[in-house]
């Protein structure tokens, strides 16, 4: 008989003492590095026309918004309700196709067909400006267009 016998050892328990520290470090990391998509309006907040049948857009991440309205900086961009804002800058209708192509490049190829262009136009804006935008959207085959409106009685 040997004097030394091998003792059977069980699996040691997993030490979870540092788990809350790791969770908080990940939480702070994502809080610091994540930014919300924000667009600073260069035009005055558009007063939307009212409509009786309003439907919310689904898949808001696939929506590209074009603002039409009066510029906040009248000395720089002029007066009138026909200023077009794409992303964070005032643009013209000629810039709309490049904007749409840029927005398409950010979306995976299989979701491009579901992209929608939302036009938020002030109710004082000219219809001619909106028609110019629609024609430019048609040139780049962006045919899903929605017009933003507030829910209420018709005009």
């Amino acid at each position: 008989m040997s004097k030394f016998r091998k003792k059977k050892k069980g699996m040691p328990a997993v030490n979870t003492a540092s788990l809350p520290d790791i969770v908080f470090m990940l939480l702070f990391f994502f809080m610091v590095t994540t930014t919300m998509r924000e667009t600073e309006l260069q035009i005055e907040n558009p007063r939307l026309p009212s409509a009786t049948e309003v439907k919310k857009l689904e898949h808001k991440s696939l929506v590209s918004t074009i603002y039409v309205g009066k510029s906040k900086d009248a000395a720089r961009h002029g007066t009138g309700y026909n200023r077009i804002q794409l992303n964070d800058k005032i643009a013209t209708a000629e810039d709309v196709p490049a904007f749409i192509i840029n927005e398409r490049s950010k979306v995976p190829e299989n979701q491009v067909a579901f992209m929608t262009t939302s036009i938020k136009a002030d109710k004082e804006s000219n219809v001619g400006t909106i028609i110019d935008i629609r024609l430019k959207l048609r040139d780049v085959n962006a045919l899903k267009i929605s017009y933003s409106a507030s829910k209420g009685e018709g005009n």
Side-chain angles (χ1 to χ4, degrees), residues 22-35:
I22 294 170
V23 169
F24 281 116
M25 283 186 343
L26 287 173
L27 179 67
F28 286 128
F29 172 76
F30 287 116
M31 286 174 57
V32 170
T33 59
T34 303
T35 58

